[in-house]
Structure formats: structure tokens, C-alpha cells
Amino acid sequence: HCNLLCETCPRTFNTYEEPKTLAWDDFLRIVEQFPEMRRAVLHGIGEPLLNKNLPRMIAHLKARGVNVLFNTNATLLNDDWARKLIESGLDELRVSIDGANPKTYALIRGAPLFHKVLGNLKRFVEIQKEMGADCPRPSLWMTGVKENIGELPDVVRLAARVGVPEVYLQRMTYYAG
């Protein structure tokens, strides 16, 4: 499941399988098949923060010594989620943001939520400092397309302004048209 319809996501254009949230029992069944697991990436096509079991899943993996991360659109990253993610032991919180201004963000992400995402992320960093936590390490992830590539320097400045130490550019996709 996801709460956005991003222009860069295959879910927006094709449905290969029915939207579903990973249930706790299914999670355990999958995880038990990999006793030597060292890293778990808890995202795919969808928004991880829609899964209420996410903190429990992270804590279970951390108890096994697994490095855990996921990407989020951060539209749901409220104070409660921030605390739960920090307490769960999450190693990395990757926030997808595909522009440095509200218009570009809305064009690519399909919703005018730029200011909400920035506010949520800034508040997450504040809560992390309040809790004295080094983890999860937050980062911004930008999918580079012709509509936003010129904003990369501004995305880097934006990250610095909200206290996020890392920015990544991924999947350069240009369409002739």
C-alpha cells in the first residue's frame, strides 16, 4: 500500500500484484528463512509507515543483529512514529524527496505535501536530538528526472537546513518526449 502516486513509481502505472501490507506472521515466516541475515531493507513498492507492525519488525531484526533501513515518503512521519522508529533501533531512515520546491515536488510525487514532508523531517531530527539518539541516520533520496535535476544543489542546501547529513541521487531516468 502507498498513500501517494509518484510519477517515478511503477505502482502508478502498472499493478503487478494486489496492494498488501506485510503481516507479522508473514514477516516472521520470511525472516526465519534467513538465519544469517545481516541487512534488511524494509521497503519496496509502497509506504512502510502504513504498516503498524513496522517498529516491532525492526526491533525483532535488531535483536538478531541485523542492520535495518527503509525509504519513506515521510508524509506520515509524525512525532509518535519518530519516537517508535528511534526506540526500535532502526539504522537508516531514507526520505524520498524529488525536488527542492513545492511545485516540483507535487509534480513528481502527485501531492502538494512538500511542506509537510519538510516539517516532519525537521521534527524527526529535533526528536532524535532530544532523545540523544545517533540512529537512525537520516538521509534524503532524490530520483533524478529532467524535471528536477537542476534542483539538486538546492536539495543539498535543504538537507543541511533541516539537519540531514546525507543526500543521494538515484535512478537517472530521462524520457524523450
Side-chain angles (χ1 to χ4, degrees):
H1 293 283
C2 192
N3 58 336
L4 296 180
L5 288 171
C6 303
E7 290 296 314
T8 56
C9 180
R11 186 184 154 277
T12 301
F13 305 102
N14 294 307
T15 304
Y16 297 109
E17 57 189 50
E18 182 179 328
K20 183 178 176 183
T21 299
L22 182 62
W24 176 251
D25 291 338
D26 292 334
F27 166 79
L28 289 177
R29 193 170 22 263
I30 293 166
V31 168
E32 288 169 4
Q33 295 177 49
F34 302 96
E36 301 300 318
M37 184 187 310
R38 294 290 161 240
R39 184 171 189 247
V41 179
L42 299 180
H43 66 259
I45 305 296
E47 173 51 48
L49 295 182
L50 288 170
N51 190 330
K52 301 298 181 208
N53 284 314
L54 185 62
R56 184 178 177 197
M57 292 171 175
I58 295 165
H60 179 81
L61 290 165
K62 292 306 299 175
R64 291 181 45 179
V66 177
N67 181 283
V68 184
L69 65 99
F70 67 86
N71 281 44
T72 176
N73 61 39
T75 59
L76 305 172
L77 185 61
N78 59 26
D79 288 15
D80 187 48
W81 264 118
R83 286 183 179 84
K84 286 179 182 177
L85 295 175
I86 292 165
E87 291 167 355
S88 72
L90 181 67
D91 294 288
E92 287 183 59
L93 179 70
R94 298 176 172 183
V95 175
S96 299
I97 189 163
D98 292 325
N101 72 63
K103 184 178 177 185
T104 304
Y105 178 91
L107 174 72
I108 296 170
R109 288 275 152 185
L113 299 172
F114 181 77
H115 294 296
K116 181 174 187 158
V117 170
L118 282 188
N120 289 351
L121 185 56
K122 184 175 188 231
R123 183 67 185 132
F124 175 84
V125 171
E126 290 169 355
I127 290 170
Q128 193 174 29
K129 286 180 184 172
E130 289 169 10
M131 293 177 70
D134 293 329
C135 287
R137 188 177 75 245
S139 57
L140 290 184
W141 289 71
M142 179 175 154
T143 300
V145 293
K146 64 183 176 183
E147 291 83 5
N148 71 359
I149 197 65
E151 295 180 22
L152 180 58
D154 290 330
V155 169
V156 172
R157 285 187 277 280
L158 182 80
R161 203 166 60 239
V162 297
V164 173
E166 299 177 15
V167 175
Y168 294 87
L169 178 64
Q170 64 183 354
R171 239 183 13 208
M172 297 287 290
T173 54
Y174 281 88
Y175 297 99

